[in-house]
Amino acid sequence: MQVFNVQGMSCGHCVKAITNALQAKDPAASVRVDLAANEVGVESSLSPEQVIEVISEEGYQVKLAG
């Protein structure tokens, strides 16, 4: 699972927006959002760069964790 640090998430709408955007690009993607830790875990065929691009397009600041 790829883990990303995402700034700006604060509620269930944020979780849904990020999950839906990623699953629109990869319907089989598994997305785990941890609002308290500002982290999004993604199990997907998308590259880390593609995941960052999708989340950024939703209006969030994102970088690969680690």
Side-chain angles (χ1 to χ4, degrees):
M1 180 169 280
Q2 304 170 68
V3 179
F4 301 85
N5 290 325
V6 181
Q7 299 302 312
M9 301 184 300
S10 61
C11 64
H13 173 76
C14 300
V15 173
K16 189 171 185 174
I18 289 172
T19 301
N20 288 347
L22 288 166
Q23 289 178 337
K25 297 284 185 186
D26 177 6
S30 172
V31 181
R32 177 190 52 81
V33 179
D34 184 339
L35 290 176
N38 293 319
E39 289 185 347
V40 176
V42 182
E43 190 84 36
S44 172
S45 61
L46 299 173
S47 71
E49 294 78 14
Q50 289 172 306
V51 172
I52 289 171
E53 183 178 330
V54 170
I55 296 173
S56 293
E57 286 174 357
E58 291 301 308
Y60 302 97
Q61 293 179 332
V62 56
K63 64 181 180 183
L64 193 57

